[in-house]
Tab-separated table of all heavy atoms in Angstrom:
chain	number	residue	atom	x	y	z
Y	17	THR	N	-6.800	-8.756	-30.560
Y	17	THR	CA	-7.884	-7.965	-31.001
Y	17	THR	C	-8.462	-7.145	-29.858
Y	17	THR	O	-8.192	-7.412	-28.661
Y	17	THR	CB	-9.085	-8.686	-31.596
Y	17	THR	OG1	-9.626	-9.558	-30.596
Y	17	THR	CG2	-8.461	-9.552	-32.726
Y	18	THR	N	-9.197	-6.032	-30.165
Y	18	THR	CA	-9.832	-5.241	-29.095
Y	18	THR	C	-10.754	-6.083	-28.251
Y	18	THR	O	-10.675	-5.971	-27.034
Y	18	THR	CB	-10.608	-4.125	-29.767
Y	18	THR	OG1	-9.821	-3.436	-30.696
Y	18	THR	CG2	-11.196	-3.189	-28.644
Y	19	ALA	N	-11.442	-7.001	-28.784
Y	19	ALA	CA	-12.374	-7.823	-27.997
Y	19	ALA	C	-11.580	-8.734	-27.024
Y	19	ALA	O	-12.032	-8.998	-25.972
Y	19	ALA	CB	-13.181	-8.727	-28.944
Y	22	VAL	N	-9.701	-5.816	-24.157
Y	22	VAL	CA	-10.533	-4.813	-23.439
Y	22	VAL	C	-11.572	-5.632	-22.621
Y	22	VAL	O	-12.510	-6.255	-23.150
Y	22	VAL	CB	-11.231	-3.795	-24.310
Y	22	VAL	CG1	-12.113	-2.961	-23.467
Y	22	VAL	CG2	-10.187	-3.004	-25.073
Y	31	ARG	N	-7.857	3.689	-19.440
Y	31	ARG	CA	-6.816	3.558	-20.548
Y	31	ARG	C	-5.434	3.847	-19.924
Y	31	ARG	O	-5.232	4.832	-19.314
Y	31	ARG	CB	-7.106	4.605	-21.727
Y	31	ARG	CG	-8.250	4.208	-22.522
Y	31	ARG	CD	-8.533	5.203	-23.679
Y	31	ARG	NE	-9.498	4.732	-24.607
Y	31	ARG	CZ	-9.845	5.415	-25.605
Y	31	ARG	NH1	-9.475	6.685	-25.755
Y	31	ARG	NH2	-10.817	4.927	-26.524
Y	54	ASP	N	-7.489	-1.007	-20.444
Y	54	ASP	CA	-6.967	-1.215	-21.837
Y	54	ASP	C	-5.633	-0.648	-21.789
Y	54	ASP	O	-5.316	0.553	-21.807
Y	54	ASP	CB	-7.903	-0.328	-22.714
Y	54	ASP	CG	-7.433	-0.403	-24.246
Y	54	ASP	OD1	-6.549	-1.269	-24.468
Y	54	ASP	OD2	-7.930	0.328	-25.073
Y	80	ARG	N	-2.119	-4.507	-25.415
Y	80	ARG	CA	-1.864	-4.249	-26.858
Y	80	ARG	C	-0.606	-3.579	-27.059
Y	80	ARG	O	-0.229	-2.835	-26.144
Y	80	ARG	CB	-3.060	-3.574	-27.545
Y	80	ARG	CG	-4.355	-4.362	-27.521
Y	80	ARG	CD	-5.450	-3.705	-28.307
Y	80	ARG	NE	-6.046	-2.514	-27.681
Y	80	ARG	CZ	-6.930	-1.789	-28.255
Y	80	ARG	NH1	-7.264	-2.081	-29.550
Y	80	ARG	NH2	-7.375	-0.689	-27.627
Y	377	ALA	N	-2.442	-0.367	-35.693
Y	377	ALA	CA	-3.532	0.131	-36.410
Y	377	ALA	C	-4.916	0.149	-35.617
Y	377	ALA	O	-5.627	1.043	-35.624
Y	377	ALA	CB	-3.666	-0.752	-37.723
Y	378	ALA	N	-5.029	-1.008	-34.842
Y	378	ALA	CA	-6.216	-1.117	-33.991
Y	378	ALA	C	-6.289	0.022	-32.930
Y	378	ALA	O	-7.280	0.550	-32.738
Y	378	ALA	CB	-6.278	-2.471	-33.405
Y	379	VAL	N	-5.154	0.146	-32.369
Y	379	VAL	CA	-5.054	1.235	-31.173
Y	379	VAL	C	-5.351	2.560	-31.854
Y	379	VAL	O	-6.040	3.476	-31.230
Y	379	VAL	CB	-3.783	1.221	-30.452
Y	379	VAL	CG1	-3.673	2.319	-29.429
Y	379	VAL	CG2	-3.737	-0.181	-29.667
Y	380	ALA	N	-4.701	2.831	-32.962
Y	380	ALA	CA	-4.943	4.168	-33.589
Y	380	ALA	C	-6.381	4.449	-33.855
Y	380	ALA	O	-6.850	5.613	-33.751
Y	380	ALA	CB	-4.106	4.217	-34.869
Y	381	ARG	N	-7.151	3.400	-34.274
Y	381	ARG	CA	-8.478	3.501	-34.553
Y	381	ARG	C	-9.344	3.572	-33.221
Y	381	ARG	O	-10.108	4.485	-33.110
Y	381	ARG	CB	-8.981	2.253	-35.314
Y	381	ARG	CG	-10.456	2.265	-35.761
Y	381	ARG	CD	-11.043	0.911	-36.174
Y	381	ARG	NE	-10.805	-0.135	-35.167
Y	381	ARG	CZ	-10.027	-1.161	-35.325
Y	381	ARG	NH1	-9.233	-1.318	-36.372
Y	381	ARG	NH2	-10.043	-2.054	-34.361
Y	382	ASP	N	-9.082	2.753	-32.310
Y	382	ASP	CA	-9.924	2.655	-31.096
Y	382	ASP	C	-9.689	3.932	-30.185
Y	382	ASP	O	-10.672	4.360	-29.548
Y	382	ASP	CB	-9.538	1.501	-30.244
Y	382	ASP	CG	-9.898	0.135	-30.976
Y	382	ASP	OD1	-10.635	0.231	-31.978
Y	382	ASP	OD2	-9.419	-0.885	-30.592
Y	383	TRP	N	-8.499	4.437	-30.180
Y	383	TRP	CA	-8.164	5.595	-29.364
Y	383	TRP	C	-8.303	6.896	-30.110
Y	383	TRP	O	-8.105	7.963	-29.544
Y	383	TRP	CB	-6.813	5.544	-28.737
Y	383	TRP	CG	-6.668	4.435	-27.594
Y	383	TRP	CD1	-7.272	3.341	-27.498
Y	383	TRP	CD2	-5.842	4.676	-26.479
Y	383	TRP	NE1	-6.953	2.773	-26.287
Y	383	TRP	CE2	-6.010	3.520	-25.601
Y	383	TRP	CE3	-4.985	5.640	-26.021
Y	383	TRP	CZ2	-5.372	3.359	-24.400
Y	383	TRP	CZ3	-4.294	5.465	-24.843
Y	383	TRP	CH2	-4.481	4.322	-24.088
Y	384	ASP	N	-8.667	6.834	-31.418
Y	384	ASP	CA	-8.748	7.957	-32.316
Y	384	ASP	C	-7.479	8.800	-32.324
Y	384	ASP	O	-7.526	10.045	-31.972
Y	384	ASP	CB	-9.997	8.817	-31.890
Y	384	ASP	CG	-10.302	9.895	-32.943
Y	384	ASP	OD1	-9.922	9.727	-34.082
Y	384	ASP	OD2	-10.965	10.877	-32.561
Y	385	VAL	N	-6.437	8.110	-32.543
Y	385	VAL	CA	-5.072	8.832	-32.688
Y	385	VAL	C	-4.513	8.414	-34.077
Y	385	VAL	O	-3.586	7.587	-34.138
Y	385	VAL	CB	-4.191	8.463	-31.538
Y	385	VAL	CG1	-4.589	9.278	-30.297
Y	385	VAL	CG2	-4.134	7.007	-31.213
Side-chain angles (χ1 to χ4, degrees):
T17 67
T18 303
V22 179
R31 287 178 169 178
D54 182 6
R80 296 190 285 176
V379 172
R381 179 190 67 243
D382 297 343
W383 284 37
D384 192 21
V385 282

